[in-house]
Amino acid sequence: SGVLYGYRVNGPQGWEQGHRFDSNIVLLDPYAKLVSGRNYFGLDKGPSQPFGTYDFDSSPFDWGADYQLPNLPETDLVIYEMNVRAFTADESSGLDPAVRGSYLGFIDKIPHLLELGVNAVELLPVFEFDELEFKRYPNPRDHMVNTWGYSTINFFAPMTRYASAGGGPLAASRELKQMVKALHKAGIEVILDVVYNHTNEADDANPYVTSFRGIDNKVYYMLDPKNNSQLLNFSGCGNTLNCNHPVVMELVLDSLRHWVKEYHIDGFRFDLASVLCRGPDGSPLDAPPLIR
């Protein structure tokens, strides 16, 4: 446990054919359940390279003998859409600095949610994302931090920098489960805002390779064969995940199952869900395999 790992992938060259193989880059495992990188949100210090990691030493999380899902009727939901970090990051939260902006800090504010009459929280993305993406190269937003989280690095790992006191990936996983357990005990469901329409790997003008692109660009992304196999951009974020390719479809379904089984998530809100209905060339499908 605690080992960091990645992959080097070599293959055919030829940008115009859609290949982006580069054996010099260490790539993140798309199926990594924990991601190790920076531990503190927004601080450009420490390792920026994301690696997969794992833990086979810890005992399984104890959900409790009397634990059960709220299982509320959809028509009765009162949903509070919120960002895990921003909810308690400010000193006005009254929390200890070590837990502000963390999964644990969120737990301390459950009484506030109950007072509001909320019975479901819809969390802005909590999959591992790169909040420093604007700082990769000079651009009009290079002074900003991506606080919202719509720049997914990995679809299985919880956001490491939402752990309290910079605790790292294992703490992030454990504390997210603690948060879900506490919310469920209070009768509050947990819905995740999920981003399966694009990733953090940007566009062809400013390519950024951390995982999918270097493993098989032509499988994971929609390309335009009539234009030197450039990335198609139906997401407005530079790339579009090829969701109805059999490999990518299985990745998305495995991700959803993982969050339900491992973290007891109650439901999902799909960001830009229209992308889930497009074929490899971007054209809308009458019966998208992923949706079916």
Side-chain angles (χ1 to χ4, degrees):
S1 294
V3 170
L4 306 183
Y5 74 98
Y7 299 118
R8 295 185 190 272
V9 180
N10 208 349
Q13 302 301 301
W15 185 279
E16 64 282 356
Q17 278 85 46
H19 299 304
R20 302 293 185 266
F21 296 109
D22 185 344
S23 59
N24 293 314
I25 300 175
V26 178
L27 302 166
L28 177 63
D29 177 5
Y31 274 81
K33 305 304 186 292
L34 300 171
V35 174
S36 178
R38 297 185 309 274
N39 285 349
Y40 291 94
F41 191 92
L43 295 182
D44 196 6
K45 298 177 181 178
S48 59
Q49 168 76 44
F51 288 101
T53 186
Y54 44 82
D55 171 60
F56 297 140
D57 291 336
S58 300
S59 300
F61 182 78
D62 182 9
W63 290 95
D66 59 347
Y67 171 82
Q68 59 183 2
L69 299 172
N71 200 26
L72 303 173
E74 188 173 350
T75 53
D76 293 341
L77 295 183
V78 179
I79 302 173
Y80 190 142
E81 182 181 9
M82 61 208 310
N83 178 282
V84 167
R85 179 177 178 276
F87 188 45
T88 64
D90 191 77
E91 63 180 357
S92 63
S93 66
L95 301 181
D96 185 281
V99 299
R100 289 179 197 161
S102 72
Y103 301 117
L104 291 188
F106 198 106
I107 294 174
D108 287 342
K109 292 300 179 181
I110 290 177
H112 172 66
L113 296 174
L114 292 173
E115 186 179 352
L116 293 176
V118 169
N119 61 15
V121 291
E122 180 187 311
L123 305 179
L124 270 65
V126 296
F127 295 3
E128 184 72 17
F129 68 91
D130 180 11
E131 76 275 17
L132 299 182
E133 63 176 357
F134 302 139
K135 301 182 184 298
R136 294 177 198 151
Y137 61 91
N139 67 86
R141 295 191 292 175
D142 59 13
H143 62 292
M144 300 174 72
V145 168
N146 179 351
T147 189
W148 303 120
Y150 295 89
S151 191
T152 311
I153 290 178
N154 172 281
F155 297 109
F156 292 84
M159 177 59 169
T160 300
R161 288 168 294 288
Y162 287 171
S164 62
L170 181 55
S173 176
R174 183 176 59 251
E175 291 176 9
L176 175 56
K177 291 175 184 176
Q178 289 176 247
M179 188 187 87
V180 173
K181 180 180 177 179
L183 285 164
H184 282 170
K185 185 177 180 180
I188 298 175
E189 291 195 343
V190 182
I191 300 166
L192 298 187
D193 190 341
V194 291
V195 188
Y196 294 113
N197 60 75
H198 75 283
T199 76
N200 70 303
E201 294 190 301
D203 54 21
D204 284 319
N206 298 285
Y208 189 65
V209 180
T210 55
S211 181
F212 311 97
R213 234 178 180 192
I215 293 173
D216 201 330
N217 188 59
K218 296 178 72 172
V219 163
Y220 286 106
Y221 296 110
M222 296 181 191
L223 308 179
D224 184 359
K226 299 177 182 178
N227 184 25
N228 295 321
S229 294
Q230 297 292 290
L231 291 168
L232 292 169
N233 183 19
F234 292 103
S235 68
C237 298
N239 63 66
T240 312
L241 208 63
N242 192 12
C243 293
N244 285 295
H245 184 287
V247 169
V248 186
M249 178 179 71
E250 197 60 35
L251 177 87
V252 172
L253 294 174
D254 285 343
S255 169
L256 292 169
R257 295 183 188 111
H258 173 69
W259 289 97
V260 170
K261 293 178 180 179
E262 187 72 16
Y263 292 94
H264 295 192
I265 297 302
D266 298 285
F268 303 94
R269 177 264 176 185
F270 295 89
D271 182 64
L272 195 60
S274 59
V275 165
L276 309 183
C277 303
R278 295 183 181 271
D281 63 354
S283 59
L285 301 175
D286 292 331
L290 174 59
I291 301 301
R292 292 178 65 188

